[in-house]
Amino acid sequence: MSNYTENELAKDLENQEYKFGFVTDIESDTVPIGLNEGVIRLISSKKNEPQWLLDYRLKAYAVWQEMTEPEWAHVRYQKPDFQGISYYSAPKQTKKYESWDDVDPEMKETMKKLGISMEEQQRLTGVAVDFVMDSVSVATSFKEKLSELGIIFCSFSDAVQEHPELVQKYMGTVIPSTDNFYAALNGAVFTDGSFCYIPKGVRCPMELSTYFRINAGGTGQFERTLVVADEGAYVSYLEGCTAPQRDENQLHAAVVELIALQDAEIKYSTVQNWYPGDKEGKGGVFNFVTKRGICENNAKISWTQVETGSAVTWKYPSCILKGDHSVGEFYSVAVTNNHQQADTGTKMVHLGKNTKSTIISKGISAGKSQNSYRGLVQIHKGAHNARNFSQCDSLLMTDECGAHTFPYIECKNPSAKIEHEATTSKIGEDQLFYCMQRGISEEKAISLIVNGYCKEVLNQLPMEFAVEAQKLLAISLEGSVG
Amino acid sequence: MIKIENLHASINGKEILKGLDLEVKAGEVHAIMGPNGAGKSTLAAVLAGREDYEITAGSVTFLGKDLLDLPTEDRAREGLFLAFQYPVEIPGVSNVNFLRTALNEKRAYHNQEPISAKDFMALVREKSALVELDAKLASRAVNEGFSGGEKKRNEIFQMAMLDPKLAVLDETDSGLDIDALRIVSQGVNALKSPENASIVITHYQRLLDYIIPDVVHVLYDGKIVKSGPKELALELEERGYDWIKESL
């Protein structure tokens, strides 16, 4: 028992299986591999896009070509061959679904395996779901009910066709294509994603949810999500991700932009479970994602993420607190196992007066994995009475894993109050023994302790998602029960 | 209930228990007293199954089973409970969640259905009243931020919830003020029945004013060197341990 956390647990963890590793047999419409202007024009024309959007793509492509892949993150990997990827893969026969009954049965089966049978969802949970398979959004439920309130929730492509003025007004305003290498790449080749607009003063009555799945081999997924909460509006948005088990590395480079206008609130929750690669570190998804939100006066953006998948994660959901009295929050659990690497955290940029931010980050490292928290708290000159509280905890499960914390603080206003707390601990033998003396098995004890450790973050998730996340943590950290 | 014969145990090559014999029958309360370093807490840890200790000789029979052959969690499920001298904090895990998990693991071991939420909460109410444990503490994280007294009360609360056959109380009185001592003792006494037994490890006679033992043992240098009725505790309080050392 005394060596359990050291050796046996490590072994158990190595043997765990990825349960979303199935491939759905759907014919895909895939463009040839490689990236050039022609491919971008092809994607744009396939999607019947307006000229301004094609121009946006081409500009992003030009910027991207001048950029180099960032190397500052605490991760090591074989850089993707950007000419070896197909940038557009759509499940065939997906012209348009008039109703849920028209959806390809294979695809419905996929959703069932993911545990998101839409009939169930519609009936029981009242969650509106947008499902993005490979690059194309295939089904959005609850559209009508939402539209009665003036809420727009649809695929990004539909938004471009049906609400071009909104898309053009807000797209790229928080994350310009010039922002970074992957954001620029996304700007050039993004294929679909979700769009959401909540009108003034409307409180969205249900959780909005998107499930992303990479299905086809040899493809990348580049989706864009744009959420706009108009003045005084409220929305809670959920995002879940899975991918099949493949030996090759798959690239996922998404962009998520949140815009919270005056007095608005956006809660954005992610459960990321992309395929992490096998226990030798072969395969797995490269998850290079740019997520950022902007808050006007009195607005609030809250990011919650549970990251258990991906071979390499590079992700910093951030808040620009532009308006006075605006609030930014970041709650994160990142679990790494085997050879997984995660470099994740947040940026809180305080521009307005009396702005407030909270960062709670819980890293759990197992196997031979590397888990880093990287965060920036930036207080600008005009941000009087800005306040930040950061807490970064790391839990180590083995002797071979690593936990790192890179907190950056830049303060240009003396009235700011910034607090940073950090702890690193190993899963306690005393805690395990205590649980076991009460009759709790080792594995259950570990799951209890880890869930307790992450509770502050899990509590931020909507109910159904929290249950899902707890199960996911248990799967990630319990051994294969014989 | 439990029969310990010629038990030898060491830690890091150092022998602590040197041929300990003890038998406790159902319905009995045994007190174990002794000076610092005699091996009192080692005995508790060895019985519970802490693997830091190496058993070099002897046997322990618990309810007809070879206790030393069972893993820690199965010993607990068979009905062995250890009230810790230093209860451990488990941040973020509520007491009730912890106990429901423990109770259901035990029930599963005995091929019983998990307890219903309703029955469980009724049990929590009943047992927390027994040790005058604030209902708020029952829903708070296990021992996190509890005072010393609250932690000990929580141990007895857990004991009441899990309804063990044999309870080993490891210096449960240490760090308790007189009110807490009374409450903890009341809890222990209320749980006493002809079917179960307890071993009370203590430094001071004080606790035995509240929990009346059937037998008092003196543990010295890894062995039980003297056993007697409850009056032995008073004699130890008065005369200390030196006279026992000398008589050896």
Side-chain angles (χ1 to χ4, degrees):
Chain A
M1 193 276 304
S2 62
N3 287 327
Y4 182 80
T5 51
E6 315 289 323
N7 303 324
E8 290 178 41
L9 175 62
K11 247 179 254 154
D12 282 353
L13 293 179
E14 274 174 13
N15 294 331
Q16 61 141 319
E17 301 260 345
Y18 182 74
K19 72 167 184 173
F20 297 106
F22 55 87
V23 176
T24 306
D25 191 14
I26 293 177
E27 225 185 315
S28 295
D29 176 11
T30 306
V31 302
I33 58 163
L35 181 55
N36 52 54
E37 254 192 56
V39 166
I40 292 169
R41 285 179 191 279
L42 181 63
I43 293 171
S44 190
S45 77
K46 267 184 185 292
K47 303 186 79 67
N48 192 26
E49 285 175 356
Q51 185 63 38
W52 65 264
L53 195 50
L54 176 61
D55 292 344
Y56 183 97
R57 287 176 181 279
L58 293 173
K59 205 179 126 208
Y61 179 60
V63 170
W64 179 73
Q65 282 180 301
E66 300 298 315
M67 291 174 130
T68 48
E69 219 174 327
E71 285 177 348
W72 43 262
H74 189 79
V75 291
R76 271 194 217 166
Y77 59 94
Q78 180 78 46
K79 284 183 185 160
D81 173 9
F82 294 101
Q83 295 302 337
I85 296 173
S86 166
Y87 287 86
Y88 183 78
S89 169
K92 258 193 184 161
Q93 343 142 315
T94 59
K95 286 276 181 215
K96 251 295 188 262
Y97 295 104
E98 290 305 324
S99 79
W100 176 244
D101 297 334
D102 299 343
V103 174
D104 189 325
E106 277 271 4
M107 191 131 26
K108 283 187 183 169
E109 195 51 39
T110 301
M111 290 190 226
K112 278 219 181 89
K113 281 184 203 161
L114 293 169
I116 50 161
S117 138
M118 204 158 296
E119 300 99 315
E120 286 286 305
Q121 290 264 358
Q122 292 190 348
R123 216 176 40 229
L124 297 174
T125 60
V127 174
V129 176
D130 184 22
F131 183 77
V132 179
M133 170 102 105
D134 287 337
S135 307
V136 167
S137 177
V138 289
T140 304
S141 63
F142 262 117
K143 211 167 169 175
E144 275 168 39
K145 201 169 165 186
L146 291 168
S147 70
E148 283 168 23
L149 290 164
I151 295 170
I152 302 165
F153 177 47
C154 61
S155 73
F156 203 89
S157 309
D158 285 353
V160 168
Q161 302 302 324
E162 290 160 29
H163 310 280
E165 70 299 336
L166 282 173
V167 176
Q168 194 172 7
K169 184 173 174 191
Y170 291 109
M171 180 184 162
T173 57
V174 192
I175 306 172
S177 313
T178 49
D179 191 79
N180 69 68
F181 185 82
Y182 295 108
L185 180 63
N186 179 289
V189 302
F190 75 92
T191 35
D192 213 330
S194 293
F195 176 80
C196 169
Y197 173 81
I198 316 290
K200 264 185 201 175
V202 171
R203 200 183 158 83
C204 185
M206 61 186 81
E207 314 276 353
L208 300 183
S209 170
T210 301
Y211 275 84
F212 293 107
R213 178 163 177 84
I214 301 175
N215 195 52
T219 59
Q221 178 146 325
F222 306 92
E223 84 273 357
R224 264 193 109 88
T225 302
L226 178 56
V227 179
V228 182
D230 212 325
E231 292 176 15
Y234 167 85
V235 63
S236 170
Y237 197 96
L238 319 174
E239 174 195 77
C241 330
T242 58
Q245 228 159 321
R246 291 187 190 282
D247 286 347
E248 56 184 323
N249 291 114
Q250 284 178 299
L251 179 61
H252 174 244
V255 166
V256 177
E257 291 180 290
L258 308 185
I259 292 150
L261 298 180
Q262 188 162 324
D263 300 315
E265 181 178 348
I266 301 175
K267 217 173 136 57
Y268 196 100
S269 312
T270 303
V271 171
Q272 184 265 106
N273 187 28
W274 297 118
Y275 178 53
D278 68 10
K279 64 179 180 180
E280 309 301 335
K282 197 172 181 202
V285 171
F286 290 160
N287 193 32
F288 302 142
V289 175
T290 310
K291 292 183 167 182
R292 195 176 303 153
I294 190 162
C295 290
E296 298 292 345
N297 287 343
N298 258 320
K300 178 177 173 184
I301 288 179
S302 182
W303 296 100
T304 304
Q305 59 173 19
V306 175
E307 303 275 315
T308 60
S310 297
V312 181
T313 297
W314 181 97
K315 178 179 164 189
Y316 315 90
S318 304
C319 297
I320 299 171
L321 304 173
K322 182 180 162 217
D324 295 346
H325 304 280
S326 58
V327 176
E329 293 175 338
F330 174 73
Y331 298 95
S332 169
V333 171
V335 182
T336 53
N337 193 2
N338 296 324
H339 290 268
Q340 277 178 280
Q341 304 173 74
D343 193 299
T344 185
T346 184
K347 281 194 272 188
M348 292 291 175
V349 180
H350 292 251
L351 296 171
K353 296 184 186 82
N354 301 306
T355 45
K356 225 171 100 180
S357 61
T358 305
I359 299 171
I360 308 284
S361 162
K362 306 272 181 180
I364 301 165
S365 330
K368 292 176 178 158
S369 67
Q370 296 291 330
N371 200 324
S372 305
Y373 165 81
R374 187 182 302 276
L376 170 67
V377 176
Q378 202 175 49
I379 314 282
H380 284 255
K381 234 178 177 167
H384 297 291
N385 297 317
R387 177 117 169 64
N388 162 264
F389 174 76
S390 304
Q391 186 186 327
C392 307
D393 298 329
S394 310
L395 188 65
L396 300 169
M397 308 290 281
T398 64
D399 287 337
E400 290 173 291
C401 60
H404 316 269
T405 305
F406 304 97
Y408 303 89
I409 296 172
E410 291 171 15
C411 183
K412 289 181 182 148
N413 186 309
S415 65
K417 204 171 160 196
I418 301 168
E419 288 173 77
H420 183 95
E421 288 177 11
T423 65
T424 302
S425 49
K426 265 197 89 167
I427 191 157
E429 229 173 78
D430 287 343
Q431 288 177 332
L432 281 178
F433 180 67
Y434 190 71
C435 292
M436 287 163 67
Q437 206 299 308
R438 299 302 184 242
I440 300 170
S441 66
E442 287 156 317
E443 284 183 13
K444 272 229 171 85
I446 288 169
S447 163
L448 259 184
I449 294 165
V450 166
N451 273 305
Y453 169 79
C454 301
K455 195 167 190 183
E456 284 164 279
V457 175
L458 298 178
N459 278 349
Q460 297 295 326
L461 290 172
M463 196 53 186
E464 306 93 318
F465 237 38
V467 173
E468 194 66 21
Q470 277 192 15
K471 276 191 217 152
L472 203 53
L473 282 179
I475 293 166
S476 299
L477 290 165
E478 267 183 14
S480 46
V481 184
Chain B
M1 176 71 64
I2 191 164
K3 192 169 189 188
I4 305 171
E5 287 176 295
N6 189 34
L7 186 62
H8 289 255
S10 27
I11 185 161
N12 302 325
K14 192 179 176 237
E15 190 168 61
I16 310 285
L17 298 183
K18 303 171 180 173
L20 187 139
D21 296 294
L22 179 68
E23 185 172 3
V24 178
K25 294 199 169 69
E28 292 180 346
V29 176
H30 287 229
I32 295 183
M33 301 182 73
N36 287 327
K40 300 192 297 292
S41 288
T42 297
L43 175 63
V46 166
L47 292 180
R50 185 127 205 172
E51 291 210 343
D52 305 341
Y53 295 92
E54 193 192 345
I55 313 294
T56 49
S59 68
V60 180
T61 313
F62 177 56
L63 296 169
K65 289 193 170 129
D66 179 358
L67 185 77
L68 301 178
D69 204 34
L70 294 173
T72 302
E73 62 268 36
D74 286 350
R75 296 182 194 193
R77 293 164 183 170
E78 288 286 346
L80 179 78
F81 182 90
L82 172 63
F84 282 59
Q85 185 177 2
Y86 304 108
V88 178
E89 298 188 5
I90 309 178
V93 179
S94 74
N95 242 332
V96 284
N97 184 21
F98 177 73
L99 277 169
R100 202 163 61 128
T101 308
L103 200 58
N104 284 335
E105 292 259 292
K106 184 177 176 181
R107 291 174 73 98
Y109 180 79
H110 294 286
N111 295 316
Q112 291 169 313
E113 292 290 305
I115 188 167
S116 76
K118 190 169 156 255
D119 291 350
F120 178 75
M121 287 321 291
L123 197 63
V124 167
R125 272 194 296 277
E126 182 197 330
K127 303 299 183 185
S128 58
L130 197 68
V131 286
E132 298 177 29
L133 189 80
D134 195 327
K136 271 185 233 137
L137 290 185
S139 54
R140 256 170 54 187
V142 180
N143 294 324
E144 195 188 27
F146 284 27
S147 71
E150 285 168 346
K151 282 184 184 171
K152 293 298 173 71
R153 253 191 265 182
N154 195 25
E155 291 296 286
I156 306 304
F157 167 59
Q158 291 183 23
M159 178 174 124
M161 289 293 293
L162 295 171
D163 189 24
K165 291 271 188 292
L166 176 68
V168 179
L169 282 71
D170 188 8
E171 306 219 5
T172 297
D173 52 335
S174 68
L176 287 189
D177 62 34
I178 208 78
D179 287 336
L181 191 66
R182 179 183 53 79
I183 292 163
V184 164
S185 308
Q186 266 174 12
V188 174
N189 288 330
L191 297 170
K192 205 180 149 178
S193 85
E195 283 82 43
N196 60 29
S198 36
I199 296 175
V200 180
I201 295 172
T202 182
H203 234 55
Y204 304 105
Q205 193 273 332
R206 197 175 66 153
L207 178 65
L208 305 180
D209 287 341
Y210 297 94
I211 302 173
I212 312 295
D214 297 297
V215 189
V216 175
H217 305 275
V218 178
L219 179 60
Y220 176 69
D221 196 23
K223 274 189 259 191
I224 301 287
V225 293
K226 195 171 177 64
S227 303
K230 62 178 192 294
E231 289 75 20
L232 177 60
L234 291 169
E235 196 175 357
L236 288 169
E237 183 86 346
E238 208 172 293
R239 300 174 62 186
Y241 293 102
D242 285 349
W243 64 279
I244 289 182
K245 290 181 200 169
E246 280 156 23
S247 70
L248 287 174

